């Protein structure tokens, strides 16, 4: 039996460091999204802020306490929310390169990205449920934050940003979509499947090291 005792000062210091890491992560995400996707990145950042507000409101409603694992789940939620926006924006870029109008490119972008986003979030949500059901203490806090964050991320990525784009493009004077360099690296081809054996081997080594350590 292993037991660790953490004093109030050390616990508070860990939480403060966790919040600092979260703030730095949010700032980097905001800057990178705006630099790479310009106006669309700003839309993603606004939806991300709204996502955090929804997440915190749901946690307060459920009476959840923000702990260090909870902060980790919050940061992971931010990453998943940004990932959904990146998938959507890259799909929109593909449609714009194909010559579609702005409105059609947005509709097709969201439609084509939907299955990938749903699949990724559902599998992660199932993992969160398992962690919450069989975990204890900090693990359950992480799982609860993760599951709530997935729900709020799906809502903001698929509904909020879509609504903002709809309002943006509803004006007849809109002649372009600010979404960064559309043709950048468009013709670049990487044979990922040819590297599958190396990737599988490296994954096996890492898994074995984790099991044996």
């Amino acid at each position: 039996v292993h037991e660790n005792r953490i004093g109030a000062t050390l616990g508070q210091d860990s939480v403060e460091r966790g919040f600092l890491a979260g703030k730095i992560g949010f700032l980097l995400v905001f800057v990178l999204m705006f630099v790479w996707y310009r106006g669309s990145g700003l839309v993603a950042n606004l939806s991300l802020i709204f996502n955090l507000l929804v997440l915190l409101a749901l946690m307060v409603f459920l009476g959840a306490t923000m702990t260090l694992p909870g902060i980790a789940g919050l940061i992971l939620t931010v990453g998943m929310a940004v990932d959904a926006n990146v998938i959507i924006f890259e799909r929109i870029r593909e449609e714009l390169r194909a010559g579609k109008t702005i409105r059609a490119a947005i509709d097709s972008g969201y439609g084509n990205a939907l299955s990938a986003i749903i699949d990724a979030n559902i599998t992660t949500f199932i993992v969160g449920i398992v962690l919450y059901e069989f975990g204890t203490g900090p693990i359950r806090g992480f799982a609860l934050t993760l599951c709530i964050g997935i729900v709020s991320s799906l809502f903001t990525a698929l509904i909020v940003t879509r609504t903002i784009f709809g309002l943006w493009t509803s004006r007849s004077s809109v002649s372009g979509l600010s979404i960064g360099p559309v043709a950048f690296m468009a013709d670049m081809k990487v044979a990922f499947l040819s590297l599958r054996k190396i990737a599988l081997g490296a994954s096996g080594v890492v898994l074995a090291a984790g099991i044996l350590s």
Side-chain angles (χ1 to χ4, degrees), residues 18-84:
F19 273 115
L20 177 60
K23 292 176 182 177
I24 295 174
F26 296 155
L27 180 61
L28 290 175
V29 167
F30 288 170
V31 172
L32 289 174
M33 288 298 290
F34 179 73
V35 169
W36 189 246
Y37 292 109
R38 314 291 169 78
S40 298
L42 182 59
V43 172
N45 289 338
L46 291 175
S47 71
L48 185 57
I49 294 173
F50 185 76
N51 178 25
L52 293 176
L53 294 176
V54 171
L55 173 58
L56 293 175
L58 288 174
M59 292 187 66
V60 171
F61 177 76
L62 296 174
T65 303
M66 182 59 71
T67 59
L68 191 60
I71 297 173
L74 187 68
I75 296 174
L76 179 58
T77 296
V78 172
M80 294 185 65
V82 170
D83 178 64

Side-chain angles (χ1 to χ4, degrees), residues 108-145:
S108 298
Y110 275 89
N112 294 331
L114 181 62
S115 60
I117 295 173
I118 294 296
D119 288 346
N121 282 273
I122 286 180
T123 53
T124 308
F125 190 82
I126 293 174
V127 171
I129 292 176
V130 173
L131 288 175
Y132 187 83
E133 182 66 25
F134 298 101
T136 58
I139 296 178
R140 298 191 74 181
F142 171 81
L144 179 62
T145 307

Side-chain angles (χ1 to χ4, degrees), residues 9-23 68 71:
T9 303
L10 179 59
Q12 181 64 28
D13 181 65
S14 298
V15 172
E16 290 177 354
R17 288 176 178 272
F19 273 115
L20 177 60
K23 292 176 182 177
L68 191 60
I71 297 173

